DNA sequence: CTGAATAATGCTGAGCAGTTTACTAATCCG
DNA sequence: CGGATTAGTAAACTGCTCAGCATTATTCAG
């Protein structure tokens, strides 16, 4: 614990930050309200917030129709558009780019299908194209972006590479951070998709109230992201949550139970077989229900391992299959109960397939915040690496 | 992130704390050295440290034989004896109580064997006896103790009970925190033994350099404690690390491979069978080596689950069997390699069976520190709950 | 033994940030 | 139009840190 000494300029910086924190996430506020929220006196807040306005971090909203007696107060608002961040999901089948302001409001979202077989260079070129489109639509340049976070499939090491394993063809040698660094001078972060989705569910999704979360990204592949004590846990080498690699955990073969269900029309594409099974189960099909039971039985072993290892409050079921959570959660819960000491809540994702990109946005915003805390508030500007 | 406003008195408090932090863990220091460490000016440090001396947090060491030219500097030292904490290990076979000063130096350690069959009341009475002995030897009263942490076997919930499971007879209904609260008015914490041992290994043991640690408490029972990003993780219900409850993980039966090893003398007590096998393996006995292989094969499944779930930097092998780590680590490492994506370092505990009590001391000290950070430095006194 | 050299201490004034208090300004309502 | 109410603002005050300089205690050379 390295408590470091403080002088008065640092104190002012901290107080200015506390005003920023009091402004954000609230409707436009009067000086009095800010003073109460930040625990400072009115005159002090007045001076600080004026400085924030001058620097461009805040803006005044001239008083509207105030229905109370007395002199109407100026209301100050955090200038969320002072900076923007990008959250990018590079998936096997799609590329999703989100542009967000500093408060997390999405300015622009563009989704493009991707060729599952595309080589890394082609995939990254496609990403560049989507980014260009987003920036053009928003009238921005790369210099306006303060942080970029990219979600990819597979465990991500400290350099932003996925050297251990990934289903994206050729991707083990790819270096998306280096690729983006050529265009963006701001901090660039690459992160595993499951981890980002977990972050998103805690931010805006199904687990906003929980501090200990296991997120399952369930689809034709299965992965997990872990949030403990409110913070994403990556593990020493960035490979936390890769319980699916354990042979005793049948995550690799679990979705096969769905695809091998009797009755699937021969015309169904590989990705559609599972959806057919889920629909059939909803309609009461016995074979489909049995297939789901087999799927959840295999899935539950790995989930139980995570639950027993981490004792989370909530397990969020997300990913492509989460649309069919209505027919999966109950069987899964029953299977889990057989293994666990204490059963956590089991919830369905509310963010669907936008969770990865949303989590990327959140992590990029966190990066901006941590720069603010360490470097203080100079006039708003894109941080450099 | 609730950044709160700061005024000048709070700033002084923080600076005083930063002086305390700069004093602790260093040899007696001059004002100049403190100023450098705390990032403050000499005059400021001078005033602050004098106040600390007046309040009893620090003491002056009159200059000894200084061999340098010039006026000899006063040297200040953290008054570690201003307060003390207790770390208590309530084991199945032993009770271990450690009295430590605020710097973590052990003042007094007393170990007593315990009856494995003792009922909770008898066990707690025995604990009281050991505590009395420790306090008497040190010339202290319960009022001199600032924090108490107790280690017990089994997952501990938020109230300090072990309602889920524990091998201590009748202990599920026991409430050691309430029992101790009758005598101590300071904060009392109950924690799982594996978790405490993990804390100790990071503090003073085999994993001081690591932030992500899986600690194995291996003996006739097997358990785990997790440290992630430098902090003990308890899980939402305090049951993190209980991977041994998973049926696919054969931790319950793993030690049986050792006890059923052919060649064990019939005279050996149950607890000594394992030790005999380890010694026989050292001497080259094939059966013993095979038994160890079977043991590590079963152990490795659960360890691999933890490693894959958390991706730690280090796995520490501790507990009763850790004395025989020389014949266990290599086979275990080989088995682990079969399961894991990335093999963490595997190390033997250096604290042996004192780790639980030491971890309890560390957690009690952490409790004191967090009180200091939140309540500030009044004159040193035992905090109340 | 004395005085120069050295290094730490202690003191004083300047500067800065936030608080308190009192006063002025703007609006609503009767 | 005046009183009530609330917001903004100026001045005095407190408390803190810092820089610089005088003071003090010690060593060492002559």
């Amino acid at each position: 614990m390295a408590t470091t000494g403080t002088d008065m300029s640092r104190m002012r910086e901290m107080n200015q930050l506390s005003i920023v924190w009091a402004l954000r996430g609230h409707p436009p506020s009067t000086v009095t309200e800010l003073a109460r929220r930040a625990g400072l006196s009115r005159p002090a807040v007045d001076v600080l917030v004026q400085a924030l306005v001058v620097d461009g971090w805040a803006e005044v909203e001239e008083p509207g129709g105030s229905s109370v007696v007395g002199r109407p107060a100026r209301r100050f608002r955090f200038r969320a558009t002072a900076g923007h961040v990008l959250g990018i999901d590079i998936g096997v089948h799609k590329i999703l780019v989100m542009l967000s302001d500093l408060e997390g409001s999405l300015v622009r979202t563009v989704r493009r299908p991707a060729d599952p077989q595309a080589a890394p260079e082609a995939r990254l070129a496609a990403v560049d194209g989507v980014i260009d489109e987003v920036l053009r639509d928003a009238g921005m340049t790369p210099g306006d972006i303060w942080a970029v976070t990219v979600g990819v499939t597979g465990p991500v090491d400290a350099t932003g590479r996925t050297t251990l394993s990934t289903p994206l063809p050729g991707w083990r040698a790819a270096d998306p951070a280096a690729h983006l660094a050529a265009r963006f001078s701001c901090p660039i972060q690459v992160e595993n998709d499951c981890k980002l989705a977990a972050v998103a569910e805690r931010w805006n999704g199904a687990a906003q109230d929980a501090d200990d979360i296991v997120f399952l990204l369930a689809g034709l592949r299965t992965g997990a992201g872990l949030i403990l004590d409110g913070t994403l846990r990556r593990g020493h080498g960035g490979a936390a949550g890769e319980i699916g690699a354990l042979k005793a955990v049948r995550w690799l073969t679990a979705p096969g139970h769905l695809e091998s269900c009797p009755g699937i029309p021969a015309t169904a594409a590989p990705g559609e077989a599972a959806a057919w099974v889920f629909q059939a189960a909803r309609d009461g099909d016995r074979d489909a229900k049995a297939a789901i039971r087999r799927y959840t039985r295999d899935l539950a072993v790995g989930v139980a391992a995570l639950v027993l290892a981490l004792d989370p409050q909530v397990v969020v079921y997300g990913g492509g299959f989460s649309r069919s959570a209505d027919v999966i959660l109950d069987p899964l819960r029953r299977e889990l109960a057989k293994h666990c000491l204490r059963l956590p809540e089991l919830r369905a994702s509310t963010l669907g397939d936008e969770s990865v990109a949303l989590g990327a946005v959140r992590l990029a915003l966190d990066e901006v915040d941590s720069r603010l805390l360490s470097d203080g508030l100079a006039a708003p500007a894109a941080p450099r690496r």
Side-chain angles (χ1 to χ4, degrees), chain A:
Chain A
M1 210 172 325
T3 311
T4 181
T6 306
D7 71 347
M8 273 170 300
S9 64
R10 176 70 191 148
M11 176 170 96
R12 187 188 169 85
E13 212 167 66
M14 287 167 53
N15 283 345
Q16 210 156 4
L17 272 171
S18 81
I19 300 290
V20 169
W21 258 245
L23 279 169
R24 284 208 304 205
H26 290 274
S29 312
T30 67
V31 173
T32 311
E33 291 165 354
L34 290 175
R36 195 174 36 72
R37 275 209 286 274
L40 295 169
S41 70
R42 261 205 318 280
V45 172
D46 192 81
V47 170
L48 290 169
V49 82
Q50 309 249 15
L52 288 175
V53 170
V54 168
D55 284 350
W57 286 103
E59 44 192 10
V60 199
E61 180 181 76
E62 285 310 325
S66 71
S67 58
V68 281
V69 248
R71 175 175 177 166
R74 295 166 303 177
R75 294 188 164 270
F76 295 88
R77 176 178 37 215
F78 179 66
R79 210 174 132 244
T81 54
H84 291 82
V85 302
L86 285 177
I88 303 177
D89 175 7
I90 306 183
V92 179
H93 299 282
K94 71 167 191 295
I95 292 165
L96 182 54
V97 175
M98 290 180 170
L99 176 70
S100 154
D101 68 19
L102 292 183
E103 259 177 336
S105 304
L106 296 184
V107 175
R108 189 91 191 119
T109 299
V110 173
R111 170 198 303 262
R112 288 275 169 275
D115 173 7
Q117 304 305 326
E121 302 77 36
R123 202 175 291 271
L124 285 173
V127 171
D128 281 343
V130 185
I131 292 174
D132 285 339
E133 184 178 340
V134 165
L135 291 180
R136 180 161 34 75
D137 288 355
M140 292 191 189
T141 68
D144 296 321
I145 302 300
W146 286 17
V148 180
T149 298
V150 185
V152 299
T153 307
V156 175
D157 66 18
T159 67
R161 317 272 272 285
T162 49
T163 47
L164 278 176
S165 75
T166 173
L168 289 174
W171 198 256
R172 293 164 82 124
D175 190 346
H179 178 84
L180 288 169
R183 305 183 54 208
F184 293 94
S185 59
C186 62
I188 296 166
Q189 215 180 154
V190 182
E191 192 50 272
N192 170 261
D193 52 0
C194 308
K195 295 187 175 65
L196 293 177
V199 167
E201 294 289 347
R202 182 176 138 87
W203 180 34
N204 270 331
Q208 296 178 44
D209 58 322
D211 280 341
D212 296 279
I213 303 162
V214 166
F215 176 86
L216 295 176
L217 198 71
L220 294 181
R221 294 184 64 256
T222 313
L226 314 176
I227 290 181
L228 301 174
D229 288 343
T231 306
L232 176 67
R233 302 297 161 182
R234 300 178 163 87
H236 183 248
E242 298 291 330
I243 189 82
L246 196 65
K247 290 175 202 78
V249 169
R250 309 202 161 278
W251 280 9
L252 276 174
T253 55
H257 292 303
L258 300 171
E259 286 164 356
S260 63
C261 174
I264 298 178
T267 54
E272 290 163 13
W276 185 92
V277 174
F278 295 135
Q279 188 52 49
R282 255 180 229 112
D283 298 339
D285 184 295
R286 283 182 163 272
D287 287 339
K289 286 185 173 175
I292 290 177
R293 247 191 327 273
R294 284 194 296 275
Y295 165 69
T296 55
R297 198 181 52 217
D298 278 5
L299 190 66
V301 177
V303 179
L306 290 172
V307 167
L308 284 166
L310 302 167
D311 189 24
Q313 178 187 351
V314 178
V315 173
V316 177
Y317 186 82
F321 289 180
S322 65
R323 270 170 306 184
S324 307
D326 56 320
V327 289
I328 298 173
L329 288 200
D330 279 335
L332 182 56
R333 191 175 289 116
R334 276 195 296 275
E335 291 294 332
L336 264 186
K338 295 179 187 170
H339 300 292
C340 295
L341 282 177
R342 199 186 62 77
L343 201 64
E345 296 172 54
L346 189 53
R347 302 180 190 167
S349 159
T350 57
L351 302 173
D353 68 351
E354 297 201 316
S355 58
V356 176
L358 276 173
V361 165
R362 180 63 261 175
L363 238 52
L365 291 173
D366 286 347
E367 169 71 27
V368 171
D369 279 358
S370 78
R371 299 269 171 157
L372 285 184
L373 278 176
S374 61
D375 300 353
L377 303 139
R384 323 213 121 231
R385 273 188 296 279

